[in-house]
Each structure stands twice: as structure tokens, then as C-alpha cells.
Amino acid sequence: MAPIAVGDSLPDGIVAYFDENDQLQQASVHSLVAGKKVVLFGVPGAFTPTCSTKHVPGFIEKSGDLKAKGVNDILLISVNDPFVMKAWSKTFPENKDVKFLADGSAAYTHALGLELDLSEKGLGIRSKRFALLVDNLKVVVANIEAGGEFTVSSAEDILKAL
């Protein structure tokens, strides 16, 4: 499957997360994104070094700047279960704007065409690192990393595109 690209409609799928009342929720991606300008960014895994020290902190730090440029929501997705994503989110107590979404079976990651096979490293199927800017379900920016790189999918890269 070809990876999602600029001009594509964002596919629908089900993701899971814990809400502000610590209740497990399942939601369609379309219900979270329709009618909004949203950043959807993906990482290979919770608690992994680049994801935890650079990628996620960058979006947390720049969330105010992104919102000032018209972004309604910032959604993080990873091929992890919702309990892992909840635990990982708690390691960022300063976070107010990034929603941690779980794609436990990689079904949504597959729908995006962004699977990354890390079986050789014992991690199984994960997500490529990416950042999408989506406006009312249409992809307007698709910054997708090659391999394990972190060169085009940062919050700063999305800010430049805005």
C-alpha cells in the first residue's frame, strides 16, 4: 500500500485513549479530525529514545505556536496499547495539548500505509515516524521519515509549513 500523501483523504479507523476522567475511550479518527485543522504525528514506539526525548517534547513545547497558527488539535499515534500510551503520557506532566492515541494492532497505521517492520529488533510491526497536517480530513502536509530518521517530522517542520 502506498503511504498517505498530500491531497489524500485521511482514512478512518478506530483508536483508543484515556480521557480526562481516566476512562478508556475508543473513537474513530474521523470523529477526532473532521471539520478541524489537526496535526497527526506518529512515532515508532512509546518510551523509545528519540520519541521520548525529541519528537513528543517538541510538539508539547510548540503546541501554543501551532494553535496560534490555527491548529485545533495535536494527535500522537503509536502502535502500543492504550495502557502503555497512558503511562507514557504521564511522563510529560507539562503536556496540555497533545492527545496520546493507541493503535494497538497497527490497523490504523496499516491504513495510512506507514508500517515499519522492526521485527529484527524485537519490536514487531510499528509505525514510521511522521507528521501530517490535516485540514477537514484532507492531508495538506505529509512529512514521512525514512527508516529511523528524525529530520522532517518535527513540530518545527509543521510550523514552517503553516
Side-chain angles (χ1 to χ4, degrees), residues 104-126:
S105 63
Y108 192 70
T109 298
H110 176 73
L112 293 171
L114 296 176
E115 307 97 330
L116 177 63
D117 188 347
L118 294 176
S119 297
E120 288 181 7
K121 296 182 179 183
L123 299 173
I125 301 299
R126 297 298 182 112

Side-chain angles (χ1 to χ4, degrees), residues 24 35 52 60 127 129 134:
L24 181 60
S52 293
I60 291 170
S127 172
R129 185 180 311 282
V134 181

